[in-house]
Amino acid sequence: MIALLKRTSIRVQMLVAMLIVGIVTLVVVTLQSLHCAHEGVMDMQRETFRLILAQQREHIDSWVESRASILQLIASSPILRDALRQPTASPRLDDYLREVEGPESHLEEVALYNLSGELVASSGGDREARLAPVLLAQLGESIGVAWHLAPYGHRHDDMTVVASSPILGEGGDAAGYLLAMIHVDKAVSDLEERASPGSTMKSYLVNLESGRRLGAVEGGHDHGAVAGALPITAMQEREGLLFHYLDEEKTPVIGMGAMLPRFGWLLVVEMAESEAFAMLRFLLHRAAMSGAGVILLIVLLALGSAKLLGKPLQTMTATCRRVANGSMEQRLGDQPGQEANHLAEAFNTMLDRLQETQRQLVQAGALAAVGELSASVVHEMRNPVNTIQMNLEAMRRKLEDEPKLAELHLLAQRQTLRLQSMLNNLLTFSKPLELRIEEQELRGVVEDALEVCRGMATESGVSIKPHLPESPVVAAVDREQVFRVLINLVENAIHVQPGGGAVEITLSGHLGQAVLEVEDRGPGIPEEMREKIFRPFFTTRADGTGLGLAIVKKIVELHHGSIELSDAGERGGSTFIVRLPRHKGGSV
C-alpha cells in the first residue's frame, strides 16, 4: 500500500479520497432514504389494508345481519305460530316456506321445528328430518338469531351457514324454531366488485377449520385448499400486521388478515409486492439517476479541488528544482489556503537562511583563504616594515637640521606606521579568536574604553556623552574583546566628525540582553552602503583599513550577539546598536 502511494501523485490520492468519501456518503444517504421510503410504503400499505379489512368485515357483517332480520321477520309470522299448535304439519305451510326462500332473501331449505326437534314444515318437503340433540340444545339457549356451522340437511359446504330464530308464543316463550341455510357467496361476490381494476389486490375468506378459500377477487368461488405459504395461524393471532409470503402462484405478496369469529373465517387482503413497492422501485430508479449525476459532480469537484490543493505542492516542487539548479533567489508567492501560505512562508524563510548560510560559508571560505594569505603576507612584510621603521627613526636625528628632508621623513614615518597598523589589523582579523567568557559588569568596560578615546576626541573637538544606568548591567562576555568593540565604534564615530560634534554612548539591559548604543552626529551612511560597511576591506575613509567594523561584527557574533546600524533620527548621524546575551550560552 505504501509503495503504491509513493508511485501515485498527491492529486490522484486526493481525487480518490474525495471520491471514496463522496460515494460512501451518497450510498449511506441513499440507503437511509430508501429505508425510510420502504418504511413509509409499508406504513401506507398497512393503513390501506386495515381500512379495506374494516370496510369488508363491516360489509359482510351488515349483509349477514340483513339476512338475520329477514329470518326474524319470517319467524314472527302468525302462520308459523298457528302451525305449531297443530299436531301435524300442513302442506300449505310447506308452500309458504318455499315462497319465502329465494335468490333475494338468500335463504335455502327453510324449515320449522317444534320444541322437541320434530319437523313441522319444510320448503324441501322433507318430513323425516329431526334436529340433532346438540343443535336442539343450542337452540334452547339462544334468544335471538343464532348461527351454526354444524352440518344441516343434505346440503352443506364452506359457503353455507345455518341461521336459527325462535318462534315466540303468546306468553313470550319459544314455541318452536325456524331454521334456514344461508349461502354467503353473495357477500363474497360483493368483495369482488369492490376490487380496483388493474390491481393485484384481492380479498378472500378462509375457513379456519378446513383451510379452504371461500372466494377471491379474481372470480370464481371454489378455490379448494389454500395454496402457497399463507401464514393463517400468524394472521389469526396477530391481526393488523403485514406478512410477506408466496401465494398459490409462487408470487411474492404482502397480506393482512382479520378474524370473523362468528363463523370461524379469516378475511384476507393481499397484494403483489411488485405493485406494493412500485413507488419504491421508482424512487430507487430516480436515486440511481440522481446518484450518477452526483457522482459526476463529485468527480468534477474532486478534480478541481485536487488541482487547486495540489497546485502549491507543484509550485514548491518546481521552486525546489530551480533552487537545486543554483537559483537561490527563488521564492514562493501567495498560495491558496492558510496552510499553504504558512508552508510558503516557512519555505521562503528556509531559503533565506540557506542563502545567508551559503553567503556566510562563502565569506568564511574567502576569509579563511584571505586569512591564510594575509598571515603569510603579514609575516613576510612585518620584518621589512619594522626595519624601515627603525631606519627612519635612526635617520630622524640626522635630519633635524634639514627642514625639507625632515618633513619628508615625517611623512614616510606616518605612512610606515599606518602600514604597520594595517598589517596588525589584518593579522588580528585573520586569526581565529578564542573568547574567555566571564560574567562582567559592563559599566566599567564602557568607562575604560571612553577614557582611552577621550584624547582623540579632544583633538578632534568631539565631546563624549555617556549614558550609564545606576544599577549594574552584567553580561557573559570576554572583557578585552568587548573593550575592543567599544574602542573601534567610538573611534569611528570620532573620525566621521572631524569638525567637531558629539558621541553618545548608552548602556541598558533589556529582555535578557545587554544593549550598547554608539551614536554620532556625522553625515550618516547612505542606504546603498549599509550592507557593505561590515565587509572586510570596505571603507569610506582615505586612511581607513576597512577591517575595524568587520572585526567588531566578528567579535559580536562570536558572543552570540548582533549588531545593526540605524539612523540617529532628526539630529542626523548614525547609531550602532550592539546586543549581547546576559547569560552564558544565550543567543539573540
Side-chain angles (χ1 to χ4, degrees):
M1 183 65 180
I2 297 177
L4 179 61
L5 291 176
K6 287 182 178 179
R7 295 194 300 267
T8 307
S9 66
I10 293 294
R11 291 179 60 182
V12 174
Q13 294 180 28
M14 294 172 62
L15 175 61
V16 172
M18 294 181 69
L19 282 176
I20 291 175
V21 172
I23 292 174
V24 169
T25 303
L26 178 63
V27 170
V28 171
V29 172
T30 301
L31 291 178
Q32 180 67 22
S33 300
L34 290 177
H35 173 72
C36 294
H38 179 272
E39 293 301 313
V41 170
M42 291 293 292
D43 290 341
M44 181 182 68
Q45 294 296 345
R46 188 178 296 112
E47 293 303 318
T48 301
F49 280 20
R50 286 175 180 171
L51 179 61
I52 292 174
L53 285 173
Q55 291 176 344
Q56 292 179 349
R57 182 159 52 182
E58 182 180 359
H59 169 72
I60 293 175
D61 288 342
S62 176
W63 189 90
V64 171
E65 290 299 330
S66 66
R67 306 288 84 76
S69 299
I70 295 173
L71 187 63
Q72 281 185 315
L73 181 63
I74 297 172
S76 63
S77 172
I79 299 175
L80 299 182
R81 288 198 301 271
D82 294 341
L84 290 174
R85 296 192 188 98
Q86 299 176 2
T88 59
S90 171
R92 180 171 170 270
L93 184 59
D94 292 342
D95 294 337
Y96 174 75
L97 294 180
R98 277 192 288 271
E99 289 177 0
V100 298
E101 73 173 5
E104 294 183 0
S105 63
H106 296 277
L107 302 179
E108 294 185 9
E109 299 185 17
V110 182
L112 178 64
Y113 292 88
N114 59 24
L115 294 178
S116 300
E118 297 174 346
L119 180 64
V120 177
S122 172
S123 63
D126 187 357
R127 298 294 181 181
E128 298 179 357
R130 184 179 178 83
L131 292 178
V134 175
L135 181 59
L136 185 61
Q138 294 177 357
L139 294 176
E141 296 175 356
S142 63
I143 299 176
V145 177
W147 302 91
H148 313 276
L149 298 178
Y152 171 74
H154 63 279
R155 293 186 60 188
H156 179 75
D157 54 37
D158 292 333
M159 299 292 291
T160 303
V161 296
V162 177
S164 65
S165 177
I167 298 175
L168 303 179
E170 294 179 356
D173 297 330
Y177 304 100
L178 182 66
L179 278 73
M181 285 188 177
I182 300 177
H183 285 268
V184 296
D185 56 350
K186 174 59 179 175
V188 175
S189 299
D190 288 346
L191 297 182
E192 299 174 7
E193 294 174 1
R194 292 167 178 265
S196 301
S199 173
T200 61
M201 180 179 290
K202 55 187 176 183
S203 303
Y204 54 85
L205 294 170
V206 177
N207 188 319
L208 296 177
E209 181 179 354
S210 64
R212 293 172 59 86
R213 288 177 54 176
L214 305 184
V217 181
E218 298 92 341
H221 310 299
D222 188 7
H223 287 263
V226 175
L230 179 66
I232 297 177
T233 303
M235 285 186 174
Q236 187 178 352
E237 295 175 351
R238 304 169 68 183
E239 288 190 33
L241 295 182
L242 280 178
F243 293 90
H244 296 262
Y245 55 93
L246 300 177
D247 64 5
E248 63 273 10
E249 298 177 357
K250 307 299 181 182
T251 302
V253 296
I254 56 173
M256 182 182 291
M259 287 294 298
L260 297 176
R262 176 183 296 176
F263 307 115
W265 292 341
L266 178 68
L267 177 61
V268 178
V269 177
E270 67 183 22
M271 175 188 290
E273 288 188 1
S274 59
E275 179 182 352
F277 298 113
M279 177 59 70
L280 195 61
R281 289 197 305 274
F282 172 76
L283 293 177
L284 181 60
H285 177 70
R286 292 296 297 270
M289 295 179 61
S290 301
V294 171
I295 290 176
L296 179 60
L297 180 61
I298 290 175
V299 171
L300 295 177
L301 291 176
L303 286 173
S305 300
K307 182 178 180 181
L308 180 63
L309 296 176
K311 186 177 180 180
L313 296 178
Q314 292 178 332
T315 303
M316 183 174 294
T317 301
T319 303
C320 288
R321 288 174 179 170
R322 288 193 292 269
V323 171
N325 292 331
S327 299
M328 293 296 294
E329 71 282 355
Q330 294 292 325
R331 294 294 183 273
L332 291 174
D334 292 337
Q335 301 297 322
Q338 185 179 19
E339 293 80 3
N341 267 323
H342 290 167
L343 180 60
E345 292 173 0
F347 184 77
N348 290 339
T349 301
M350 179 188 68
L351 288 180
D352 292 340
R353 293 182 178 177
L354 284 175
Q355 193 172 21
E356 178 63 21
T357 302
Q358 184 185 43
R359 187 189 64 78
Q360 292 177 358
L361 289 174
V362 171
Q363 183 178 0
L367 291 177
V370 170
E372 293 180 4
L373 178 61
S374 299
S376 177
V377 171
V378 169
H379 181 72
E380 295 297 329
M381 292 181 63
R382 287 183 70 179
N383 290 333
V385 170
N386 288 336
T387 301
I388 294 173
Q389 179 66 25
M390 292 173 58
N391 292 333
L392 287 174
E393 184 64 26
M395 292 172 61
R396 182 178 62 82
R397 292 188 295 270
K398 295 182 179 182
L399 296 176
E400 290 179 355
D401 298 332
E402 299 289 338
K404 292 184 178 180
L405 293 178
E407 184 178 353
L408 294 174
H409 172 270
L410 181 60
L411 179 61
Q413 191 174 33
R414 287 178 179 175
Q415 294 300 320
T416 303
L417 291 174
R418 180 169 175 250
L419 180 59
Q420 193 173 32
S421 176
M422 291 176 62
L423 291 175
N424 290 335
N425 286 337
L426 183 59
L427 184 61
T428 301
F429 182 76
S430 63
K431 286 182 179 180
L433 292 178
E434 295 183 3
L435 301 181
R436 300 175 62 182
I437 302 296
E438 294 179 356
E439 297 288 337
Q440 299 289 339
E441 207 287 297
L442 296 184
R443 290 184 305 178
V445 180
V446 173
E447 290 172 350
D448 291 345
L450 296 183
E451 188 64 30
V452 172
C453 297
R454 288 190 190 279
M456 179 187 296
T458 302
E459 291 180 1
S460 301
V462 175
S463 62
I464 297 178
K465 300 177 181 179
H467 302 284
L468 304 180
E470 295 182 359
S471 59
V473 178
V474 179
V477 296
D478 185 323
R479 189 182 193 286
E480 293 300 324
Q481 299 300 331
V482 174
F483 179 81
R484 188 176 179 185
V485 167
L486 287 171
I487 292 293
N488 273 307
L489 292 177
V490 174
E491 286 183 351
N492 278 345
I494 294 173
H495 281 303
V496 297
Q497 304 176 88
V503 177
E504 296 189 19
I505 299 90
T506 303
L507 173 64
S508 62
H510 181 67
L511 296 177
Q513 301 173 2
V515 182
L516 287 165
E517 300 182 25
V518 179
E519 180 181 346
D520 62 59
R521 299 289 183 271
I525 300 175
E527 186 69 30
E528 63 274 9
M529 291 186 180
R530 292 191 177 186
E531 295 182 359
K532 303 177 182 180
I533 59 173
F534 294 108
R535 295 180 183 177
F537 309 113
F538 177 82
T539 181
T540 58
R541 290 163 42 193
D543 58 346
T545 63
L547 291 172
L549 290 178
I551 293 173
V552 168
K553 183 177 182 183
K554 180 178 179 181
I555 293 172
V556 171
E557 289 179 348
L558 285 174
H559 280 84
H560 302 288
S562 66
I563 182 171
E564 62 179 292
L565 171 65
S566 65
D567 292 330
E570 297 179 355
R571 294 176 296 183
S574 302
T575 301
F576 287 89
I577 304 173
V578 176
R579 291 183 174 88
L580 298 171
R582 302 185 67 175
H583 304 285
K584 291 184 179 181
S587 61
V588 178

